[in-house]
Amino acid sequence: MKKPLRKAVLPVAGLGTRFLPATKAMAKEMLPVVDKPLIQYAIEEARAAGIDQFCMVTGRGKTALVEHFDVAFELEATLRQRNRVEALEQLKGSQVEPGSMVTVRQQVPLGLGHAIWCARAFIGDDPFAILLPDDLVLSETPCLKQLADAYRETGGNVVAVVEVPREHTNRYGILKTGHDDGRLVEVQGLVEKPAPADAPSNLSIIGRYVLMPEVIGHLAKMERGAGNEVQLTDGMARLIGHQPFHGLRYKGTRFDCGDKAGFLEAQIAFALARPDLADAVRGFLHKYV
Ligand code: G1P
């Protein structure tokens, strides 16, 4: 029987060096797209997939991420006193059920695989999702919900995938593909950041995963891979052949918010998707292009 998916791990220990000076004293996951921080998009997406237990893998200087999901008592009392109903409403998505969010620290930057391993006590024997908040997906059905549905269909591991230009394979985890029905792809191999000439396909993993807890045992070996880091991709590769493993071509558009151009594109796309802003944004955009 497939265990229900209720847990999500959010690795947020990165330094955000690509966004300095903005991230000098602020967690990069607190950068807003329109008016909501990246981390809140990730939590809301997880919730929409039925997840109700969250673990953020944090590091030094990341306390704002924890504060963000707390009750802001003074702020809320003041808003209530002033009858600011709309502002109060806007705070709702930033509150989680008491006791539903924990953090663990990744004290040393040894890679994404190591960050996930740091959450091993939280994961226990349960299937779990991973959301990388840098990857933002604009879609009708939230991307992780699509993955959770695919997990219920196939069992085992499911990762969100998209075709990328050949010359970009060295930026992503890349699939060696088996049976492919155009939506679900059987994963026969996984390689982290291969050079275009060595890439087994141009189907890349984006930052949304549903994984089985057995991956932790492989990550625990702390084998170093690409960039001399403990790679999640390598740990996942060890599961192939032992458990079902699929890639899902999700429906939606991914924005790489870890990159300045991708982040700016996300601002425009998300603003245009907002009824309260679309006209104004469309109105000024043509001035600049
Ligand atoms: C990580 C993963 C990579 C994946 C990517 C998605 O890389 O290691 O397999 O394709 O996220 O964004 P990073 O972006 O941390 O270098």
Side-chain angles (χ1 to χ4, degrees):
M1 201 192 75
K2 282 166 225 131
K3 275 195 179 179
L5 180 67
R6 297 188 54 189
K7 295 180 175 178
V9 178
L10 300 106
V12 291
L15 290 177
T17 46
R18 279 192 278 179
F19 280 93
L20 285 170
T23 49
K24 183 183 173 192
M26 183 179 83
K28 67 169 173 170
E29 297 80 9
M30 287 302 294
L31 291 171
V33 167
V34 184
D35 53 8
K36 200 192 287 182
L38 288 170
I39 187 68
Q40 191 178 330
Y41 283 97
I43 295 289
E44 288 181 0
E45 188 181 325
R47 271 204 204 107
I51 283 164
D52 58 6
Q53 299 171 42
F54 309 95
C55 177
M56 292 198 286
V57 183
T58 68
R60 289 165 63 80
K62 297 276 182 162
T63 43
L65 293 170
V66 178
E67 293 286 330
H68 185 73
F69 294 101
D70 204 346
V71 174
F73 179 78
E74 294 86 347
L75 175 63
E76 285 171 37
T78 308
L79 291 175
R80 221 167 283 124
Q81 213 173 22
R82 296 183 186 167
N83 204 23
R84 298 283 304 277
V85 184
E86 217 174 291
L88 279 164
E89 194 59 34
Q90 268 149 8
L91 279 176
K92 278 200 174 145
S94 62
Q95 269 182 29
V96 293
E97 278 290 301
S100 68
M101 181 178 274
V102 299
T103 63
V104 294
R105 285 233 182 181
Q106 182 191 25
Q107 294 92 338
V108 280
L110 297 181
L112 179 60
H114 178 260
I116 300 305
W117 174 81
C118 287
R120 63 197 178 282
F122 168 80
I123 294 163
D125 294 326
D126 295 317
F128 65 103
I130 302 173
L131 299 101
L132 308 185
D134 275 0
D135 274 333
L136 201 53
V137 185
L138 188 58
S139 59
E140 217 163 274
T141 305
C143 184
L144 193 66
K145 166 90 168 53
Q146 298 177 42
L147 280 193
D149 290 343
Y151 162 66
R152 276 185 283 274
E153 199 179 318
T154 62
N157 307 275
V158 192
V159 293
V161 298
V162 67
E163 259 95 15
V164 291
R166 256 278 148 191
E167 61 270 26
H168 291 172
T169 57
N170 59 359
R171 300 181 189 176
Y172 304 103
I174 300 290
L175 270 60
K176 180 173 187 286
T177 63
H179 179 74
D180 185 347
D181 71 6
R183 185 179 79 100
L184 277 171
V185 194
E186 184 200 341
V187 178
Q188 287 191 344
L190 289 167
V191 195
E192 180 67 11
K193 303 194 170 79
D198 306 327
S201 77
N202 65 338
L203 206 51
S204 77
I205 302 176
I206 74 153
R208 300 290 184 277
Y209 309 73
V210 173
L211 298 180
M212 300 302 105
E214 287 77 13
V215 72
I216 296 297
H218 297 295
L219 296 174
K221 294 171 196 149
M222 296 295 151
E223 284 163 356
R224 304 295 182 104
N228 198 31
E229 292 186 341
V230 181
Q231 294 292 352
L232 175 62
T233 302
D234 297 342
M236 295 192 303
R238 301 292 178 114
L239 301 173
I240 299 166
H242 303 283
Q243 300 176 337
F245 209 130
H246 293 88
L248 173 75
R249 286 193 187 81
Y250 60 93
K251 289 204 177 100
T253 310
R254 182 269 295 265
F255 300 91
D256 179 3
C257 294
D259 170 80
K260 280 173 201 164
F263 181 65
L264 291 171
E265 191 182 344
Q267 303 288 351
I268 304 291
F270 276 73
L272 288 172
R274 285 262 300 252
D276 58 331
L277 288 170
D279 285 347
V281 175
R282 213 171 281 119
F284 69 63
L285 266 184
H286 74 269
K287 277 202 289 187
Y288 298 92
V289 290

